[in-house]
Amino acid sequence: MLTKLIDRVKLPFQEDKELRASLYSIIGFYPHDISYYKLALMHKSVMHRNKKGKPVNNERLEFLGDAILDAIVGDIVYRHFPGKREGFLTNTRSKLVQRDTLGKLAQQMGVCQLILSSGHSSSHNSYMGGNAFEALVGAIYLDRGYNACMRFMEKRILAQMINIDKVAYKEVNFKSKLIEWTQKNRVNMKFNMLEQKVDQNGSPMFNYEVLIEGLKGCSGQGYSKKESQQMASKLTLEKLKKEPQFIDEIFAAKGNRTKMEEEPVQSVPDTEADQDFIINNNQPRKMTEEQTEAAPAAATEGVSEPERFHTLALDDDTDNDEFDLSDISARAMSREEIIAAAEAAAFTDEQN
């Protein structure tokens, strides 16, 4: 019984000793108050509560560490690059303190292995390591002060793990990455210039926003169109990662657009020529008496005698001697022509 009690007393001390040794290899010195560091490594998924029932995790330290990091890295970048413009300094600081960079640092330094969570590996949460790194900086600030944080970043991080010059001048083409994503998903994307102005030093400044399927992404400001569009693309990519509902809205808008494109706007015009000039002979037409008398003459005008008779003959294959129209003519005949025709008919009958 006494042995078990001793083990229970030694256990927290043993854990603290191992944690101190691990932290020394990470931050380069031993902590004064280990409780800050324990809290920095406690993920919110653990749902640990204090005596008052309030949740205890590293979110508050993460907030503090984020602010301290911005100040320290800003200070370092300012002194490291004398004469560089504000845009360059801001861009360099952003690269150094972005979550991806901090997450990789946390993984390589062994911070991720110390994070206490509810059985979830840091691989399930791409921001868990970066958040813990910020919380660790917050713990160092509360435990040792601002100067200790500065030494940690200068001597442990920038001197050993990050080449600040390489980071500063490495161009990450966020615009290309965003265009590649939109093309793979077949969504429309364009850049819209919101503003073009001149700053207090007379330098031109541009402000562009990203529009995806007509939906506003993020805007970015820079001293050139390229810089502005790069910043807008970077922020839009981060929005796509953090806000799944934004992606849903994009694909909903895409669905509405493609649906409208598939529906015919109007009926296809007829390619056949208008043939209303053709008279349908199957439909009887009422003709006046003058039209009836004039029609045969009009139909046979300019036609030779045999052709005229053929034109006026009925199209009938049956022989009908009782109703032969071959002698009917629309042309008025003189008295001499009538007598000659009668004599010719009589002569034919005598021969038959």
Side-chain angles (χ1 to χ4, degrees):
M1 188 69 178
L2 182 61
T3 304
K4 290 182 180 181
L5 182 60
I6 293 174
D7 290 339
R8 288 178 182 176
V9 173
K10 284 185 176 182
L11 185 59
F13 174 79
Q14 188 70 21
E15 288 179 349
D16 287 354
K17 185 177 181 180
E18 292 177 358
L19 180 58
R20 286 175 182 274
S22 298
L23 288 171
Y24 181 84
S25 65
I26 293 173
I27 61 180
F29 53 84
Y30 288 107
H32 287 166
D33 190 343
I34 193 68
S35 64
Y36 291 131
Y37 302 88
K38 286 183 177 180
L39 187 59
L41 298 170
M42 186 175 296
H43 188 255
K44 62 182 179 181
S45 62
V46 177
M47 297 298 293
H48 183 73
R49 297 183 179 275
N50 59 17
K51 295 179 180 179
K52 297 181 178 180
K54 293 183 178 181
V56 177
N57 53 58
N58 63 1
E59 286 185 331
R60 283 171 53 83
L61 279 177
E62 176 193 335
F63 164 80
L64 179 61
D66 178 58
I68 299 298
L69 269 177
D70 274 350
I72 288 175
V73 175
D75 186 345
I76 294 172
V77 169
Y78 179 85
R79 289 184 283 107
H80 191 84
F81 298 103
K84 287 294 183 180
R85 294 186 310 185
E86 183 268 344
F88 175 88
L89 300 177
T90 299
N91 192 28
T92 303
R93 181 183 63 182
S94 298
K95 292 177 183 178
L96 290 170
V97 300
Q98 65 183 356
R99 293 299 170 86
D100 291 341
T101 302
L102 299 181
K104 290 179 181 178
L105 286 173
Q107 184 66 42
Q108 293 184 11
M109 296 173 69
V111 175
C112 292
Q113 287 74 14
L114 299 177
I115 297 174
L116 181 61
S117 65
S118 60
H120 295 289
S121 170
S122 60
S123 61
H124 288 85
N125 187 340
S126 58
Y127 295 138
M128 186 183 293
N131 294 343
F133 186 93
E134 290 178 339
L136 185 62
V137 172
I140 295 172
Y141 175 76
L142 294 177
D143 183 43
R144 292 289 192 104
Y146 183 86
N147 290 335
C149 293
M150 178 66 77
R151 288 195 301 271
F152 168 66
M153 289 300 299
E154 284 186 319
K155 300 185 179 299
R156 182 72 177 93
I157 304 301
L158 297 178
Q160 300 180 25
M161 303 191 70
I162 293 181
N163 185 331
I164 188 171
D165 294 292
K166 188 174 181 180
V167 170
Y169 292 104
K170 181 180 179 181
E171 181 64 33
V172 180
N173 197 337
F174 297 107
K175 180 179 178 179
S176 178
K177 289 179 179 291
L178 181 60
I179 292 175
E180 181 182 358
W181 183 86
T182 57
Q183 289 179 344
K184 284 184 178 180
N185 292 281
R186 298 181 180 179
V187 296
N188 293 338
M189 187 272 290
K190 68 176 183 178
F191 291 94
N192 180 38
M193 188 170 71
L194 298 176
E195 185 183 21
Q196 180 178 353
K197 62 180 181 179
V198 178
D199 66 4
Q200 58 185 3
N201 297 322
S203 300
M205 296 193 68
F206 302 87
N207 191 0
Y208 274 84
E209 71 173 352
V210 174
L211 294 176
I212 305 179
E213 290 293 343
L215 300 174
K216 291 184 179 181
C218 296
S219 61
Q221 187 169 285
Y223 287 96
S224 67
K225 293 180 180 180
K226 179 181 178 182
E227 184 179 343
S228 173
Q229 291 177 359
Q230 281 278 21
M231 182 58 66
S233 298
K234 177 188 175 183
L235 297 176
T236 301
L237 286 170
E238 291 177 353
K239 183 176 182 178
L240 289 169
K241 281 185 176 181
K242 296 178 181 179
E243 302 179 16
Q245 67 273 17
F246 182 50
I247 297 180
D248 294 339
E249 292 173 0
I250 290 173
F251 283 100
K254 175 191 174 183
N256 292 333
R257 172 179 59 82
T258 54
K259 182 179 179 181
M260 292 175 62
E261 290 177 353
E262 292 172 358
E263 294 177 352
V265 178
Q266 59 183 3
S267 59
V268 179
D270 194 353
T271 57
E272 295 183 3
D274 189 5
Q275 297 181 345
D276 56 358
F277 56 87
I278 299 178
I279 299 174
N280 187 354
N281 292 322
N282 295 326
Q283 294 181 356
R285 293 188 302 160
K286 292 184 179 180
M287 301 177 65
T288 63
E289 185 176 353
E290 292 79 5
Q291 289 175 330
T292 305
E293 292 176 355
T300 57
E301 185 177 356
V303 182
S304 62
E305 194 74 8
E307 291 175 341
R308 183 169 71 247
F309 290 152
H310 179 73
T311 303
L312 294 175
L314 290 177
D315 186 14
D316 191 352
D317 294 335
T318 60
D319 294 332
N320 189 350
D321 295 335
E322 296 179 357
F323 193 68
D324 185 6
L325 301 180
S326 60
D327 293 338
I328 299 177
S329 173
R331 184 173 63 88
M333 298 175 68
S334 65
R335 183 173 181 275
E336 291 77 9
E337 288 175 331
I338 294 173
I339 294 172
E343 289 177 346
F347 178 74
T348 303
D349 290 340
E350 289 177 355
Q351 287 184 341
N352 293 336

